[in-house]
């Protein structure tokens, strides 16, 4: 197994830009068969008062079915997903978020609401 990843972030008081990428190379135990998977993520947000609107793009590409991911319940389907939302920061340890997203492959869309607490 070989995993290579990278993360870059630019954060100021009002702006955040985050990008991540990971490449997974698996060789099946006892064979020469290999699989490769690429996953990327990018997010841009701009804080206005206590609210941060943001937009995010996620991309995952399975070059071939990967039994390691499938055994974990991760479907071997490519994903291209665009999300947008807003996060309200109530305090340093409490935030509320509303987000909508759409997947381009099958036009699935969803809306989520989340409350996050940090300790």
């Amino acid at each position: 197994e070989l995993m290579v990843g990278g993360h870059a972030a630019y954060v100021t008081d009002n702006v955040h830009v985050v990008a991540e990428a990971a490449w997974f190379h698996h060789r099946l135990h006892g064979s020469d068969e290999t699989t490769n998977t690429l996953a990327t993520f990018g997010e841009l947000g701009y804080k206005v008062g206590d609210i941060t609107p943001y937009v995010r793009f996620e991309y995952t590409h399975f070059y071939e079915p990967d039994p390691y991911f499938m055994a974990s319940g991760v479907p071997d389907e490519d994903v291209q997903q665009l999300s947008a939302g807003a996060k309200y920061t109530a305090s340093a340890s409490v935030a509320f978020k509303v987000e909508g997203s759409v997947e381009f492959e099958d036009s699935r869309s969803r809306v989520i609401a989340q409350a996050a607490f940090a300790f």
Side-chain angles (χ1 to χ4, degrees):
E1 177 176 62
L2 175 63
M3 296 183 289
V4 179
H7 173 92
Y10 173 77
V11 180
T12 67
D13 288 340
N14 295 326
V15 174
H16 76 263
V17 179
V18 180
E20 297 179 1
W23 177 70
F24 303 90
H25 177 80
H26 292 131
R27 182 177 59 82
L28 298 177
H29 184 68
S31 102
D32 290 333
E33 186 179 340
T34 62
T35 63
N36 294 286
T37 304
L38 174 67
T40 63
F41 166 100
E43 182 173 295
L44 171 65
Y46 186 80
K47 186 176 180 180
V48 180
D50 292 335
I51 298 176
T52 305
Y54 62 90
V55 62
R56 178 176 54 244
F57 181 74
E58 298 173 57
Y59 173 76
T60 303
H61 178 65
F62 291 90
Y63 291 90
E64 51 275 319
D66 189 323
Y68 291 99
F69 285 114
M70 291 187 309
S72 300
V74 176
D76 64 340
E77 301 171 354
D78 290 355
V79 175
Q80 295 181 45
Q81 181 173 320
L82 181 64
S83 303
K87 179 177 79 170
Y88 169 71
T89 305
S91 71
S93 59
V94 177
F96 300 96
K97 180 169 69 171
V98 174
E99 175 181 293
S101 66
V102 62
E103 288 187 25
F104 295 105
E105 293 294 318
D106 57 10
S107 299
R108 281 189 285 185
S109 60
R110 64 188 172 115
V111 175
I112 65 166
Q114 178 184 46
F117 305 92
F119 299 96

